[in-house]
Amino acid sequence: MTEFDIGEFFIWGESREVDGEYQAVIVMRAKEGKRAISYHQVEKDRWFKTAEVAATAAKESAQELKTAVDAGALNA
């Protein structure tokens, strides 16, 4: 697992199974209070047939989010 540092959070992408299908999710872990973890579906209502494909999509989205933050997306 690759964690990215985006300010107050560490993020990574992973697959999450729901009723036999898979979501691509970005997981956010707060730097303070390390027990605070939240899951955010990458694309609303997009499901994948395999965990591997969902995980790949999630990892790519986490990398894109990290790149956007590094480029100043939160400073606007």
Side-chain angles (χ1 to χ4, degrees):
M1 170 182 68
T2 300
E3 270 191 338
F4 300 111
D5 182 341
I6 62 164
E8 296 179 25
F9 297 94
F10 291 111
I11 65 165
W12 66 91
E14 66 181 47
S15 171
R16 191 169 195 194
E17 182 179 3
V18 178
D19 296 329
E21 291 190 308
Y22 301 90
Q23 296 175 330
V25 295
I26 291 178
V27 184
M28 298 180 73
R29 177 174 61 89
K31 287 181 180 177
E32 298 295 323
K34 296 186 188 308
R35 295 175 193 225
I37 295 178
S38 59
Y39 296 84
H40 305 275
Q41 189 172 3
V42 171
E43 294 181 52
K44 185 178 179 183
D45 298 327
R46 182 160 182 209
W47 296 86
F48 298 87
K49 294 293 180 190
T50 68
E52 293 79 17
V53 174
T56 298
K59 289 173 186 173
E60 289 171 358
S61 293
Q63 178 64 58
E64 290 170 6
L65 177 57
K66 168 67 173 155
T67 301
V69 168
D70 288 348
L74 297 179
N75 298 328

